[in-house]
Amino acid sequence: MTMFRIARAAARRPLLPLVAAALLAAVTGTASAAPRVWFGPSVPLQHGQYRIQGADDFSDLFKADAPWQDTASRIQVFKLYGTYILQTPDDQLSAIFKFLGRRHIALAVEFGPLTPGDDKCGTGVEGFSGGEAQGATLARKVKSLGGEIAFVAMDEPLWFGGIADGSKACKWSAREIAENANATVKGVHSVFPQAVFGDIEPLRRIDGDLIGRYAEWIDAWKEATGAPLGFFHADVLWGRGGDAMLKEFAAMLQQKGVPFGIIYNGDSTETSDATWTDAARRRYEAYEADNPPPADAVFQSWNPYPKQLLPDTQPGTFTNLLRGYSRGVARFASVEPGGAVSGRLEDGQGRPIAGATVALQAKGGSGGQLEQSVEGTVPRNAAKMMIAWRANTECGGCSGDADVLVRPPRF
């Protein structure tokens, strides 16, 4: 199927022409469900012997006049770590919960749901910070400060409980892991009975069928707890096989009826806010250009960057990354040779944008990219060439943002 990717357009605003109109097409069709957007910035945290500084302006997010009000209105879920909640003073947590409540943003808590085995396997291992008492303690603190846990995102229980190697590895079966984690479910549900439990697991190359292991885990969880997983988020090892598995992973989850999510992030090796957010942006654009968006789009960092979360109008900040994603993606569903172009144009909430005019000028191209070709003779002794792109110049005084990717010209 041929797919043209058009520049991202502001919500409820017509897509503006980037080049002189060569093809006009009415954009028709119905809107699909928009992703549920999760926001999980890096927080100040002491975890064992490791200390995480967190974003420099994390506390500023929750001020009444914080410069991300429009973007905040497009976030459905805000994620905190269980360890952060247990370590943070009551007044700071209360301010966060009040902010989320006023804006009707659901609270998600991430932590490891497992408890070490009788032989001490799992001691000090990621994913092993749960238990019925721990879950209840965490939930009671949230409730006492006016918060409500809507989602629990389990920190890779299958991976660390059954797949990962190491001297403390338990190597449990999927059923054993689910039964162990169910104690944490009971603890949280004793305070918040409606809290939805979902999972985060890595996508990476291993010896064996990782997707098959995850399918088995989904069945084991339902059998042990009596409820299906509420969501399953992929912690993708980008460039190390994880991104190549996303389509198969999404198809398996669809077959199982479990909502699929992707953590869009940068790498721990990034050296600035700009490189981290650029990497995350490239990843969601690359995936969603050729695939339906996930049910959950999770923007989360546990890395040193981004250090600056605000304002959402400044390129390189974390909220600016969210602002760009929430504008929505315009797509043509199909192009028939010599026929009409049809598709849909929608904002970040999945609502169709009506009355839009789309202008395209294309020749050749593959993989969803547009190419413009110009033929002629290069003048003798020419050493340089100048190429110009015009935006918002042939549409009668229109204005708006235009995201343009320019590749090196070829002769």
Side-chain angles (χ1 to χ4, degrees):
M1 178 178 69
T2 303
M3 180 77 73
F4 286 117
R5 268 186 67 229
I6 311 302
R8 301 175 71 82
R12 297 179 298 280
R13 180 184 299 167
L15 182 66
L16 302 175
L18 295 181
V19 293
L23 171 65
L24 296 180
V27 180
T28 60
T30 58
S32 61
R36 182 170 55 185
V37 180
W38 296 48
F39 183 25
S42 178
V43 297
L45 185 67
Q46 184 74 43
H47 187 69
Q49 60 180 325
Y50 300 103
R51 178 172 177 79
I52 300 173
Q53 180 179 346
D56 293 342
D57 54 353
F58 177 76
S59 61
D60 293 338
L61 278 176
F62 311 104
K63 295 179 178 179
D65 59 348
W68 71 303
Q69 299 303 309
D70 181 64
T71 300
S73 71
R74 302 173 187 277
I75 304 303
Q76 285 75 51
V77 185
F78 192 89
K79 183 194 284 191
L80 291 173
Y81 296 106
T83 305
Y84 173 81
I85 291 174
L86 294 174
Q87 293 177 356
T88 300
D90 290 357
D91 59 335
Q92 295 179 30
L93 284 176
S94 179
I96 295 173
F97 298 153
K98 287 179 180 177
F99 178 92
L100 299 180
R102 286 195 302 268
R103 286 158 179 79
H104 306 289
I105 300 173
L107 172 65
V109 180
E110 177 181 331
F111 64 98
L114 302 177
T115 54
D118 294 338
D119 59 355
K120 305 301 181 183
C121 76
T123 302
V125 176
E126 184 177 344
F128 285 79
S129 56
E132 187 168 357
Q134 184 80 342
T137 298
L138 175 67
R140 283 195 294 267
K141 182 172 184 180
V142 172
K143 186 173 184 178
S144 70
L145 297 174
E148 181 176 352
I149 297 176
F151 303 100
V152 175
M154 297 186 291
D155 181 13
E156 306 187 355
L158 183 70
W159 182 265
F160 289 108
I163 299 177
D165 294 317
S167 60
K168 300 290 183 66
C170 290
K171 294 293 186 178
W172 290 333
S173 69
R175 181 58 184 256
E176 289 172 322
I177 296 168
E179 290 175 345
N180 184 293
N182 195 33
T184 301
V185 177
K186 293 177 180 178
V188 173
H189 279 173
S190 69
V191 182
F192 296 111
Q194 302 304 316
V196 175
F197 274 72
D199 193 18
I200 308 166
E201 298 288 348
L203 276 191
R204 59 181 299 176
R205 284 189 295 264
I206 66 167
D207 293 332
D209 180 11
L210 183 62
I211 304 298
R213 293 286 296 270
Y214 289 158
E216 178 188 0
W217 159 244
I218 291 170
D219 294 338
W221 177 267
K222 187 173 182 179
E223 292 173 6
T225 67
L229 279 174
F231 54 87
F232 202 146
H233 295 168
D235 178 6
V236 184
L237 274 73
W238 303 98
R240 287 175 283 176
D243 38 343
M245 302 168 67
L246 277 169
K247 290 184 180 181
E248 182 184 0
F249 182 62
M252 181 273 291
L253 292 180
Q254 183 178 30
Q255 192 273 329
K256 293 289 186 182
V258 176
F260 161 55
I262 303 175
I263 298 177
Y264 290 127
N265 56 6
D267 296 314
S268 60
T269 55
E270 304 295 349
T271 57
S272 70
D273 288 2
T275 60
W276 194 98
T277 55
D278 283 348
R281 182 178 295 106
R282 289 195 304 270
R283 285 161 179 169
Y284 78 65
E285 288 181 343
Y287 180 79
E288 296 189 21
D290 298 318
N291 303 280
D296 289 336
V298 184
F299 292 84
Q300 181 177 356
S301 175
W302 48 88
N303 305 138
Y305 300 97
K307 293 184 180 295
Q308 294 299 128
L309 307 179
L310 300 167
D312 64 357
T313 55
Q314 179 178 314
T317 67
F318 208 155
T319 54
N320 180 260
L321 175 68
L322 289 168
R323 180 174 182 261
Y325 184 81
S326 69
R327 289 178 178 178
V329 179
R331 288 188 178 89
F332 283 126
S334 63
V335 179
E336 298 296 333
V341 179
S342 64
R344 65 176 180 269
L345 185 64
E346 62 184 37
D347 66 16
Q349 305 305 314
R351 296 180 294 249
I353 301 173
T357 298
V358 178
L360 297 179
Q361 186 174 13
K363 182 177 181 180
S366 61
Q369 302 299 318
L370 298 177
E371 292 186 4
Q372 174 65 31
S373 300
V374 177
E375 296 182 1
T377 302
V378 178
R380 186 182 298 276
N381 300 324
K384 297 180 179 180
M385 64 178 287
M386 180 173 68
I387 303 174
W389 285 263
R390 296 187 294 174
N392 304 324
T393 57
E394 280 94 6
C395 49
C398 59
S399 63
D401 296 335
D403 294 342
V404 181
L405 174 64
V406 180
R407 299 190 183 280
R410 300 192 303 271
F411 288 97

